[in-house]
Amino acid sequence: AIDSISRGSPAVFRAAGHRLSPGDNVSVAGNTIPTSWALLLAEQRTVSSVSGDEFTLSDIDTGSATVPIVGISTASPAVVTANNHGFITGNQVTITGLVGLEWARLF
């Protein structure tokens, strides 16, 4: 089972005791991955590097995943709600496509 996936390029996957080696072919599926990455990870990928419980897959960039916003509060600071986003505290995000005066005041 995958314990975590970092955002970035390359994405670093953590899975205790995974037994993978560079060159192995894998696909990732299940409810432990953010919805926005499901299509990206469903295809078979090649393990490119392994270090302890961590590994990377070829051509996986989770830093540019698109996540739909379902709500933004008017609190200060604003609270952004997005389902199955996969972010962790400290991740940097870019919000685009806001429309209207209320949204513009928040940023």
Side-chain angles (χ1 to χ4, degrees):
I2 294 176
D3 302 314
S4 65
I5 307 170
S6 73
R7 284 196 176 264
S9 181
V12 177
F13 294 75
R14 183 177 224 349
H18 60 71
R19 298 183 187 172
L20 294 171
S21 299
D24 287 351
N25 291 316
V26 300
S27 59
V28 179
N31 61 1
T32 60
I33 60 174
T35 303
S36 58
W37 299 350
L39 292 176
L40 176 70
L41 298 173
E43 298 174 19
Q44 193 170 58
R45 303 291 180 166
T46 302
V47 175
S48 52
S49 68
V50 174
S51 177
D53 287 339
E54 297 180 341
F55 62 95
T56 60
L57 301 178
S58 60
D59 302 321
I60 297 291
D61 177 0
T62 56
S64 60
T66 299
V67 179
I69 293 173
V70 295
I72 301 176
S73 76
T74 56
S76 181
V79 175
V80 178
T81 303
N83 298 323
N84 300 310
H85 55 73
F87 293 114
I88 60 171
T89 301
N91 286 151
Q92 186 172 5
V93 299
T94 301
I95 297 175
T96 61
L98 297 179
V99 179
L101 232 9
E102 282 300 312
W103 299 115
R105 283 189 225 141
L106 293 173
F107 297 96

